[in-house]
Amino acid sequence: MDELVILKLLQKGAEATISLASWYEKKVIIKSRKIKKYRHPQLDERIRRFRTIHEPQLIYEAKKAGVPTPTIFLVDTKNMLIIMEFIQGKQVKHLLTILSTTERSQLCFKIGVLVGKLHFYGVIHGDLTTSNMLLDDYGKLFFIDFGLGEKQNELEVRGVDLHLMKRGFQSTHNKFAKDSFKDIMSGYSNVMGKPFTTNILKKIREIERRGRYVEERKLK
Amino acid sequence: MINSINEIYCLGIESTADDFGVGISTCSGEILANISDGYIPEKGGIHPREAARHHAMVASDVLDEALIQAGIKSSDLSLIAFSQGPGLGPCLRTGATVARALAAYLNIPLVGVNHSIAHVEIGKLKTNATDPITLYVSGGNTIISAFNSGRYRIFGETLDIALGNCLDVFSREAGLKHKKGIPLGAALEKLALDGNNLVLMPYIVKGMDVSFSGLLTSAVALLRQKKYRLQDLCYSLQEIAFAMVCEVTERALAHTEKKEILLTGGVAANKRLQFMLSLIAKDHGVSFNKVPLEFATDNGAMIAWTGLLAFRSGIVTPIEESIVKLRWRIDRVDIPWMN
């Protein structure tokens, strides 16, 4: 791969290193799942291989569901890396705090619509944090990082997906977590319909109560 | 130790689970005493009522011993802190009763402390960490937390049982015994040292959350098959369970962009887990802070110190509000002293 020149390390995440590179004179992202020395080599190889193969498949499925994701150019299971489209944009994590209340509400609604589209199509993202959502310079919202995702239609799994996002908002964006989650769910409801959304909200409460230390344990 | 008139001494009582602990701290964070007496079940896990009975029996001796170690009299105390939750009801109530009685008798204020916050605060006191991502792993807790807008927020946690619980139940199934000074986890760790073949079991990570119940079921099933050496199963269980908490800690670290990792809780004693996390810290160029064992397991000193921090921020708990909170989440408590 002589045509590939790494330009800049963008992010060192939990499971992969994200770099900006030039590939056939095109700006691309390289997602490289490097060896994690803390993990047993056999376990490490298994996890990295599974996710390197699995993620592009899910990104493709998400695209089919109508959710903007980076286009995959190349999957290299020998070096455990994926070459994909570079999206010029900002992480929603950094945007939420600087938006006006209306803008934030609109963005959250949009997030909800995209999550709804994923779930409608049976795709579970698996790590719906605001680090994994990008807004490009044209206002188009992208979902990235499907490494923990799966294809699933079960209510339980969809519920966990949303529960994790809700908790993520509570920890990272506490000041407006409540409103944001409401907006997200109204966007979600737009795609999935009211009855299903009522059901899943009930499921989320059930999952929350299952946690170790939750004050409200009984169904109201 | 000589007491000065201006010094504030806080006595902290810890009794959330199997340990009854009493610690004494000064305002500057000097720990003058840290005494603990653990309940060891004859068989099985912690029986809450039996543990509470144990606490009631040893309370007075542990209190005396702590005062002697600190070299102060009970009349020198300015404040009583106690772990108000989360934990086992009967155990919490026993500690709270002792705390209320002391505060009323000595006519000094009472402060209810959140047990999980106390783990983080004593960890910060005893290491160089100031604003860490904390991995708190014990028999009852598995929490990845960090400070954000006024509180310790939960970034990741277990969706079902705690890491220590998973290891303990497996150990008991394997016939290991909890002895004084050698908890089940240590016995498991020792066996794991002689393991070298990885037996695959479910690795369950959901975002920044983990789930151990499937892993435990699988490990116990493999044990009953009698096809593998126990050492290899212990080794594999540790490798897989620890890799899971390490992955989510690393994810929370990348997400929050904090510069320190703090490891605490009973499972923090495990050398393999310490090593794995230290590798992550090194890889990200952040500091790794391991809380010394005496202060990583449940202890009274952490309650005393956190009680002081709260008291200095103007927090007291009137007796009528001192009811124990069995499921008191770490993210439900404001932390004014961090601002």
Side-chain angles (χ1 to χ4, degrees), chain A residues 11-15 36-40 42-43 46-47 51 91 93-94 126-127 129-131 148 150 157 160 163-164 167-168 170-175 207 210-215 217, chain B residues 86-87 140-141 148-149 153-160 162 198 200 203 205-209 235 239-240 243 246-247 250-251 254-255 257 272 276 279-280 283-284 326-329 332:
Chain A
Q11 209 203 355
K12 208 161 167 182
E15 50 165 335
K36 292 286 178 195
K37 281 194 221 118
Y38 70 82
R39 251 181 333 225
H40 188 284
Q42 208 183 327
L43 181 65
R46 224 176 119 91
I47 292 170
R51 291 182 184 165
Q91 277 181 318
K93 174 170 80 172
H94 296 303
D127 191 17
T129 62
T130 46
S131 292
L148 296 177
E150 54 183 315
V157 185
V160 170
H163 159 66
L164 295 179
R167 232 249 339 272
Q170 284 164 351
S171 55
T172 314
H173 310 291
N174 192 267
K175 286 193 183 102
I207 292 162
R210 231 181 273 155
R212 289 289 299 174
Y213 295 117
V214 188
E215 278 157 33
R217 290 285 271 201
Chain B
N141 290 278
N148 179 317
S149 55
R153 307 288 171 185
I154 299 178
F155 286 86
E157 61 190 320
T158 175
L159 287 161
D160 39 58
L198 188 77
L200 287 170
Y203 178 95
V205 164
K206 292 176 189 278
M208 285 186 244
D209 280 5
Y235 170 72
E239 284 302 315
I240 292 167
C246 282
E247 182 182 343
E250 190 178 12
R251 187 162 294 122
H255 181 70
E257 297 167 19
R272 175 65 182 145
M276 287 165 90
L279 288 180
I280 291 176
D283 197 27
H284 283 261
L326 275 60
R327 305 180 195 288
W328 197 16
R329 277 172 76 85
R332 299 300 287 265

Side-chain angles (χ1 to χ4, degrees), chain A residues 159 162-163 181 200-208:
Chain A
L162 286 166
H163 159 66
F181 192 69
I200 198 116
L201 283 170
K202 218 167 129 191
K203 191 79 195 173
I204 293 172
R205 282 199 297 277
E206 183 199 314
I207 292 162
E208 284 168 351

Side-chain angles (χ1 to χ4, degrees), chain A residues 49-68:
Chain A
R49 177 175 299 277
F50 178 80
R51 291 182 184 165
T52 305
I53 296 171
H54 204 63
E55 179 171 21
Q57 292 171 338
L58 278 170
I59 284 184
Y60 174 65
E61 293 292 331
K63 259 193 205 316
K64 285 205 286 187
V67 174

